[in-house]
Amino acid sequence: MSVDGSIRTARRLRGLRSSAIRDLLALTARPDVLSLAGGLPAPELLPTAEIADAAATVLRDPAAAQYAATSGRGDLRAVLAAREGERLGRAVHPDEVVVTHGSQQALSLLAQVLLDPGDTVIVEEPAYTGALQVFHAAEARVVPVPLDDDGMDTEALERLLAAGERPVLVHTVATFHNPRGVVLSAARRRHLAALADRYGFRVVEDDPYGELWFGQAPPAPVASWSDRVVRLSSASKTLAPALRVGWLHGDRRLCAAVELLEQGADLCGSSLTQAIAAALLADGPWYAGHLDRLRSTYGARATALSTALAAEFGDAVVSSAVRGGMFTWVRFAGELDTAELLPVAAEHGVAFVPGTAFAVSGDHGRTARLCFATAGEADLAEAARRLGRAVRALQHRTACA
């Protein structure tokens, strides 16, 4: 501690900002606020009864309350390897899977393994805020690539590479992007994989929403086309966030390096919650039915929100087509600034995340991310009406200023 009472901190903390989404939690906890801000699963869809039953069953074995291997319980890694193999269309060995405390820890460990200060990381614009925090903490040089309705613009990425950019990592939320909600097309997935092979960078395919599709399944993962892809995923969106079960799938040397760092971070995860997750994921018929319920409910809520926004705003708001996941991205017409709108919206009992929270270098002042997963259809319709009243109130104040 210095003479003036301040605490000396490491250089990596300089310039780090708290997540705007986490800062909104206090606001969204108010009972009078309908929150479209957080990326939380619907509480009534969490399989708490099944989790309780699985806990009672696995606790008959004292090993469920004991330390586990750093890389995760063997039964869970076997289940995850089988599920990853189904999605990739090839065999995945359990040694190619490391279990972590959610996929955010997997991303943080991966950055520590692969990035030195000053290394280049390419991200999508707008970007997942959790990834930006990880890469800034790693003191990486972050370069954005735009994305459109078909996901990351891989032609733009190729132009950057041809001009001399040499990233260590390219990060993508290829399926139901956070925050944009878009899906990287099959052609662009193959193109991205081919660029990774040609230029020697690794792709981090962050995939927490991939099983939450409505109507039509997304294309095969990017990792289907190259072994330079590292996949991250989580049970938080499909089972329960409190289990804190995420995982990383990559080549064995990379997994061994991640495991080595994880030993210094937490030694091991929760054997109990991993055993519960393994039991639920291994119950194929139950899990398939559970996913069907999630898809049906979230799909209906996505439609309800899109319909309500259209009724309230007409062509004054453009919202992204929603094919799955938990979010829609909206753009307001005119000069409206969503960062200025947020406190007015809170006064009217509705919350969202302004687009600037996801900005790397682009201008997202007229945009916002709305989460449809947590609220029921009637509440979503009311949230759209409150948002409309907030917009009109802000416009009135601006006109009178």
Side-chain angles (χ1 to χ4, degrees):
M1 184 174 290
S2 65
V3 292
D4 63 359
S6 62
I7 299 174
R8 181 190 180 279
T9 58
R11 183 182 68 182
R12 69 180 62 90
L13 285 176
R14 298 171 193 169
L16 282 185
R17 296 177 298 170
S18 177
S19 165
I21 302 169
R22 292 295 173 263
D23 293 344
L24 280 168
L25 289 180
L27 169 65
T28 59
R30 284 171 33 191
D32 60 314
V33 173
L34 292 174
S35 177
L36 307 179
L40 308 178
E44 71 275 15
L45 296 180
L46 298 177
T48 52
E50 289 79 6
I51 289 172
D53 289 344
T57 299
V58 301
L59 280 171
R60 294 171 188 161
D61 180 0
Q66 187 54 275
Y67 287 113
T70 304
S71 57
R73 284 179 58 107
D75 53 354
L76 178 57
R77 293 168 70 202
V79 171
L80 295 174
R83 295 193 65 83
E84 283 290 296
E86 289 175 7
R87 298 190 68 181
L88 298 179
R90 58 178 171 82
V92 173
H93 194 278
D95 287 348
E96 298 170 344
V97 175
V98 176
V99 180
T100 58
H101 286 285
S103 59
Q104 185 69 17
Q105 188 196 40
L107 182 59
S108 180
L109 292 170
L110 188 63
Q112 293 178 62
V113 166
L114 296 177
L115 296 176
D116 287 322
D119 281 345
T120 297
V121 175
I122 289 180
V123 300
E124 295 153 328
E125 172 82 77
Y128 167 53
T129 57
L132 293 179
Q133 285 186 306
V134 165
F135 298 141
H136 288 315
E139 301 180 74
R141 173 176 171 261
V142 177
V143 176
V145 168
L147 75 165
D148 55 29
D149 290 344
D150 287 322
M152 177 188 287
D153 184 345
T154 55
E155 295 291 342
L157 171 60
E158 185 169 17
R159 288 192 293 271
L160 282 176
L161 297 168
E165 287 286 3
R166 290 297 177 265
V168 175
L169 296 178
V170 172
H171 179 271
T172 178
V173 185
T175 306
F176 313 128
H177 185 267
N178 181 4
R180 282 278 275 109
V182 297
V183 177
L184 187 66
S185 69
R188 286 185 176 182
R189 291 175 188 233
R190 290 192 294 270
H191 188 204
L192 177 57
L195 292 174
D197 289 340
R198 187 189 316 168
Y199 288 95
F201 58 82
R202 286 186 183 267
V203 175
V204 180
E205 186 177 14
D206 216 338
D207 189 22
Y209 311 104
E211 293 188 304
L212 298 178
W213 44 267
F214 313 147
Q216 182 176 2
V222 181
S224 302
W225 307 101
S226 172
D227 59 6
R228 298 198 64 81
V229 181
V230 186
R231 280 181 48 78
L232 311 181
S233 196
S234 167
S236 294
K237 303 302 187 292
T238 58
L239 291 180
L243 292 177
R244 305 313 304 137
V245 170
W247 56 91
L248 174 152
H249 166 227
D251 65 73
R252 297 190 192 197
R253 290 177 299 175
L254 179 64
C255 287
V258 168
E259 182 181 351
L260 183 63
L261 274 182
E262 191 175 6
Q263 290 173 7
D266 59 15
L267 290 181
C268 65
S270 167
S271 185
L272 175 58
T273 60
Q274 289 184 25
I276 293 169
L280 294 178
L281 292 173
D283 188 344
W286 173 82
Y287 189 60
H290 176 63
L291 286 178
D292 285 344
R293 184 183 179 206
L294 294 180
R295 292 165 183 160
S296 174
T297 304
Y298 290 161
R301 292 179 179 183
T303 299
L305 180 58
S306 298
T307 301
L309 290 171
E312 182 66 31
F313 293 99
D315 58 7
V317 163
V318 176
S319 57
S320 60
V322 182
R323 297 167 53 187
M326 303 174 72
F327 308 110
T328 187
W329 181 255
V330 299
R331 177 177 294 276
F332 291 86
E335 299 302 316
L336 185 143
D337 187 320
T338 55
E340 295 178 1
L341 175 63
L342 179 59
V344 183
E347 294 172 8
H348 287 78
V350 64
F352 58 87
V353 184
T356 51
F358 308 96
V360 184
S361 62
D363 178 10
H364 302 291
R366 294 188 292 131
T367 62
R369 189 195 76 176
L370 310 181
C371 176
F372 51 77
T374 311
E377 294 177 40
D379 281 343
L380 290 169
E382 174 61 21
R385 289 190 289 269
R386 293 183 186 185
L387 190 58
R389 291 195 290 269
V391 168
R392 290 188 289 275
L394 177 61
Q395 290 170 337
H396 178 72
R397 294 179 192 181
T398 302
C400 294

